[in-house]
Amino acid sequence: MQKISLPWAFLDAVDGSALAVPPVEYKPNKVKILQGYALTPNEIGCYLSHKEAWKCCVEKNMPTLVLEDDFVLSSDFENILHALLNEVTEWSFVRLQGLYEVPFKKVLEQSGLTLVKNQGDAVGATAYLLKPPVAAQLIKHSVEIYEPVDHFLEHHQKHGLEFLAIRPYPVDITRAKSTIADRSERAPVKGLQKRIRSVARVVDRVFSKEPWFPR
């Protein structure tokens, strides 16, 4: 963090593996039916940790930089951050890192920055910058937790938000083991389980006021 001269604070992560019981936001049976798999304790803890960061953003009422513990900053990171906070105002949430390369469309070039709209899910929530109204919206739609937080951030049909990204990304990951821990690769949901999930999602859209997977 020596590359950032701005004030910062370490937010203790929620250790999902230390939770005696699932949080009230997590409904295991409903998740298993509508998602097709259960979230790991670490995924639940990671989501809760980000939710705490969103709450801090709202409480302090100021743009907030959220970094997980496995980040590496580029040499010009502070210049990029300064430009976003003081010169480029046409954003509400900016992705600063992504695990996968996806197509993107340029939205704005200003102050040496290239803001884009990703055309796919870059995955990962290691680094992003957001403003209080967006944080409040994310909290509002996190009453129930049913997917990893980086998937939720890209779930635009659910929270109704559209995010931008900086390209090239000014943050990478260390590839070291995180204190939250990375999730292992999952086998895709197939066969009968996939058909049951599809039917369950249709029923949820019809009868739920806040469906998990809206069209």
Side-chain angles (χ1 to χ4, degrees), residues 52 54-62 132:
E52 287 302 309
W54 304 337
K55 290 178 181 177
C56 287
C57 178
V58 173
E59 290 169 3
K60 295 181 182 297
N61 193 32
M62 60 188 300

Side-chain angles (χ1 to χ4, degrees), residues 9-44:
F10 186 84
L11 179 67
D12 288 334
V14 177
D15 184 354
S17 62
L19 296 174
V21 295
V24 295
E25 296 99 323
Y26 185 72
K27 311 291 191 301
N29 293 333
K30 187 175 179 181
V31 171
K32 191 66 180 294
I33 293 173
L34 290 178
Q35 190 62 278
Y37 56 81
L39 298 188
T40 68
N42 287 321
E43 286 175 325
I44 296 171

Side-chain angles (χ1 to χ4, degrees), residues 93 95 114 122 161 190 213:
F93 180 110
R95 172 184 280 278
T114 300
L161 300 167
K190 298 180 179 179
F213 298 94

Side-chain angles (χ1 to χ4, degrees), residues 139-154:
I139 294 169
K140 175 183 176 182
H141 290 285
S142 295
V143 174
E144 294 181 306
I145 293 175
Y146 56 91
E147 59 187 339
V149 67
D150 56 337
H151 291 190
F152 170 71
L153 290 174
E154 296 290 346

Side-chain angles (χ1 to χ4, degrees), residues 167-189:
R167 290 299 193 100
Y169 295 124
V171 181
D172 198 0
I173 60 174
T174 62
R175 318 291 170 181
K177 184 176 177 62
S178 166
T179 58
I180 295 176
D182 298 326
R183 59 178 177 264
S184 58
E185 290 297 324
R186 285 193 174 94
V189 179

